[in-house]
Amino acid sequence: MESPDTDPPGAVRAAPRRPYRPAQVREAVQQAVCERCRATHTPCDAAALADALLVASELTTNAILHGGGVTDVRVDVAGPGVRVSVSDRSTELPVARAAAGPQGRLTPGGHGWPIVCLLSRDIRVRGLPAGGKCISALVPLP
């Protein structure tokens, strides 16, 4: 979605099969990152992989809960990290919710988007021609 039709040398791409569930997207991210490590003969950084898996899970879960369902997923590993792109049916932009309700009590949920923003670089949100949006986040890999 975000990458041109031709991938840079050393790029690894993975795509889960439909329907897109968080576990399937995490599996695609793990497969792509591990393939890059094998291809470059470098050890995989467990902490960076964990960050990428969490971002993938949060983007997918948010698309399911708030975006009307996942319409497409793309995982690209090249250069500085892994880019996870998740498309959904909604045109509404993600927002960070207050952690506390009106009476100062903590409320469940609302932590996904802040997690994505904390662990990712170069976050892009764009509308899609057929409706909906695509959110992509680059998670750095050492």
Side-chain angles (χ1 to χ4, degrees):
M1 291 186 175
E2 297 293 332
S3 301
D5 289 338
T6 57
D7 292 325
V12 177
R13 181 180 293 171
R17 286 185 233 155
R18 291 180 187 217
Y20 304 114
R21 294 196 169 98
Q24 292 169 305
V25 178
R26 287 192 305 270
E27 184 178 310
V29 168
Q30 183 160 351
Q31 175 187 352
V33 171
C34 290
E35 178 58 33
R36 175 190 185 217
C37 292
R38 279 192 293 277
T40 60
H41 306 289
T42 57
C44 283
D45 183 286
L49 177 58
D51 288 351
L53 295 174
L54 183 54
V55 167
S57 186
E58 292 299 337
L59 288 176
T60 307
T61 300
N62 286 349
I64 292 167
L65 293 177
H66 309 293
V70 178
T71 57
D72 194 23
V73 171
R74 183 166 173 167
V75 178
D76 296 295
V77 181
V82 57
R83 179 170 295 281
V84 180
S85 302
V86 178
S87 299
D88 63 39
R89 292 178 175 85
S90 174
T91 56
E92 290 189 36
L93 300 178
V95 294
R97 235 178 45 187
Q103 297 164 347
R105 293 186 182 152
L106 293 179
T107 58
H111 305 289
W113 185 244
I115 288 171
V116 169
C117 292
L118 179 68
L119 298 177
S120 304
R121 306 295 175 268
D122 189 28
I123 299 169
R124 302 175 188 183
V125 181
R126 65 179 176 93
L128 299 173
K133 68 180 171 300
C134 175
I135 300 177
S136 69
L138 179 70
V139 181
L141 295 175

